[in-house]
Structures are given as C-alpha cells and as structure tokens.
C-alpha cells in the first residue's frame, strides 16, 4: 500500500473533478456541476463506450480521458460505475491517485471498508447513495464519510452533490435503509403514478389528460409536504371528508393492506442492499 501524504486543505475548495463512468448517474452529476457554474475545464470524464465519450465531449465541452489519466488529474474522483465494476476500477486507478485525492463512490452496496481496501492507505473516501431526480436538480444524495475524511472533505462532497439537489450526512450503518427508502424511492412513486394514470384511463379519461392530472397532483402533494412541514397523516385527513370519495378509496386501500405491502417492499429492498454489501 502507498502511504498518503498531506490531505487536500480547505483552501483548495472543490478543485478539479474527474468522473469515472459517465453513464446515467455520472452524466447527471456532470450536467449538474456545469449548471451550477463549474467550467468545462474543471471537469474530465471517462466512459466505457467511445460513442458515449464523444457525446459528452460534444454536448458539454469536457475533456475525455481514460480511467488512469482522469484519476491522476482530479483532486476529487467520483466513481460512478456499476457496483460490480468498482473493485476492479479502484485497483486500476490506485497507483495514479495523488496524495490527498478525495474518492467519492456512488455505487450501491459498496461499503467504506471495501472502498478503502482498494485505494492507497490514508485516502479519504466517501460513500454516497444518490437517486435519479438528480437529473432535474431535485435529487436526494446521502453521504457517509470514511475513516480518513476530514470535515473539509465532507464539505467538498456536499458542495459537489448539492448541484443536483439536497444532501444529507448519515452514519454508514444507515445506508442500506437509505438505499431502500430514497435510492429506490423514485421507482415506488413512478409505480403509483402509473397505476393512477391507468385508473384514469379505465374510468374514461384520455391518457394525456389522466397523465397531466396525476403528475400535477403528485407534484403538488410533494410540494405541500415540503413547504408546510406538516405530517402526511394530517394532510391526508384534511383531504378525507367523512363518508366521502376519498374515505371510500382509502378504506379499500387499507382492506387490501397496501400500506403494509409498501412497508414490506421497502424492507425487502433494504435486505437486498445488505446482501449486496456482504457479497
């Protein structure tokens, strides 16, 4: 193992950012950084497919390098490859990492211990669980700092990730639950939206009309939750008139144990995240 020297200090701010694996999430982080004011000259990317690399270069004006070149160039290296490829990638770039380089992993199920085991001793590592609404700057990124992280490393990661939405810091022991709730969470919302749209169509609404009704309703309800800070049960009660249509619908959902099914589904997602972490 190569010994790390002095860590990057706060005077360096974010510095140069290398994004390794500019697929869906890596590309989202790249676009968010540029929208937030980072210059194309401050960011480089690597991509497995040459056509993807060319697309990013043309669209964003960023330089494309191979993994080792990008890792040697960056002050912060964001690992955005698939979880099964993380170990091999870190082993590949480890000799190129300069002392003080911050490594941020976006891969689900990759523990801090496994990440730190594949980089030079003393490398600051941060584990992050993002989600797909980062694409529209409404993401929820949850980070856990590693053994060698200082406050300035965490602050740097928070500044980077805040370009695509909200950022929260938690102990790593929470990350499997985070993965189940917010990491997979957009899929649950899309699942409900799909069901509501199909119900509208079944009831005779044109599909575009049903879609607009559902999307705006979900957006409005989420906005109420955020802006009012009111508990969802209270907001639900405000919509539910005694003996009314909403009460009839909610009674059927309770009879079908939909709430319990959601809880069980999220528990299953958490258990799967734990399995991936152990494997």
């Amino acid at each position: 193992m190569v010994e790390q020297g002095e860590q990057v200090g706060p005077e360096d701010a974010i510095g140069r950012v290398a994004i390794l694996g500019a697929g869906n999430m890596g590309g989202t982080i790249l676009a968010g950084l540029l929208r937030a004011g980072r210059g194309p000259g401050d960011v480089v990317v690597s991509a497995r497919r040459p056509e993807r690399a060319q697309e990013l270069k043309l669209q964003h004006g960023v330089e494309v390098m191979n993994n080792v070149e990008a890792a040697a160039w960056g002050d912060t290296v964001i690992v955005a490859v698939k979880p099964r490829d993380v170990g091999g990638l870190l082993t590949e770039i480890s000799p190129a990492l300069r002392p003080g380089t911050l490594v941020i992993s976006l891969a689900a199920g990759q523990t801090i211990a496994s990440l730190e085991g594949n980089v030079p001793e003393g490398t600051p590592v941060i584990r992050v669980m993002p989600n797909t609404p980062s694409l529209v700057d409404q993401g929820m990124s949850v980070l856990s700092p590693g053994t060698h992280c200082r406050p300035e490393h965490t602050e740097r990661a928070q500044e980077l990730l805040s370009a695509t939405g909200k950022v929260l810091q938690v102990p790593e022991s929470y990350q499997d639950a985070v993965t189940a709730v917010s990491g997979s969470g957009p899929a649950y919302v899309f699942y409900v939206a799909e069901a509501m749209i199909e119900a509208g169509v079944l009831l005779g609404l044109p599909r575009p009309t049903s879609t607009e009704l559902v999307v705006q309703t979900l957006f409005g309800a989420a906005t109420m939750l955020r802006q009012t800070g009111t508990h969802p049960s209270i907001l639900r009660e405000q919509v539910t008139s005694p003996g009314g249509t909403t009460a009839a619908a909610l009674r059927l959902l309770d009879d079908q144990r939909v709430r319990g099914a959601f809880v069980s589904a999220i528990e299953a997602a958490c258990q799967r995240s734990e399995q991936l972490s152990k494997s």
Side-chain angles (χ1 to χ4, degrees), residues 202-278:
L202 178 66
L203 294 172
L205 294 173
R207 184 172 294 276
T209 301
S210 185
T211 299
E212 185 170 357
L213 292 174
V214 171
V215 170
Q216 181 58 32
T217 298
L218 291 174
F219 177 80
T223 302
M224 284 184 69
L225 278 169
R226 168 175 281 186
Q227 292 188 359
T228 67
T230 304
H231 195 280
S233 64
I234 296 175
L235 294 175
R236 174 180 53 79
E237 290 171 359
Q238 291 173 353
V239 184
T240 310
S241 302
T245 57
T246 306
L250 292 175
R251 185 184 68 179
L252 182 59
L253 290 174
D254 286 340
D255 288 345
Q256 296 294 323
R257 300 181 180 179
V258 172
R259 183 192 300 264
F262 262 101
V263 172
S264 296
I266 294 172
E267 286 180 334
C270 182
Q271 291 166 3
R272 180 55 179 156
S273 180
E274 291 172 350
Q275 292 171 355
L276 290 173
S277 296
K278 292 175 182 176

Side-chain angles (χ1 to χ4, degrees), residues 98-182:
R98 293 178 287 108
T101 301
L102 172 62
V103 176
I104 299 175
S105 169
L106 308 181
Q110 297 296 308
T111 65
I112 289 172
S114 68
L115 297 170
E116 291 180 339
N118 284 294
V119 294
E121 178 66 28
T123 299
V125 167
I126 293 180
R127 175 182 176 181
V128 177
M129 173 49 60
N131 66 10
T132 56
S134 297
L135 183 64
V136 291
D137 295 341
Q138 294 297 327
M140 181 71 255
S141 297
V142 183
L143 65 84
S144 299
T147 308
H148 307 292
C149 281
R150 295 179 180 175
E152 57 263 30
H153 296 128
T154 304
E155 290 167 8
R156 194 194 316 177
Q158 289 174 333
E159 184 175 350
L160 277 167
L161 297 167
S162 65
T164 58
K166 295 193 70 174
V167 184
L168 184 67
Q169 180 177 336
V170 301
E172 188 184 19
S173 59
Y174 290 178
Q175 281 287 359
D176 292 321
V178 165
T179 300
V181 173
S182 64

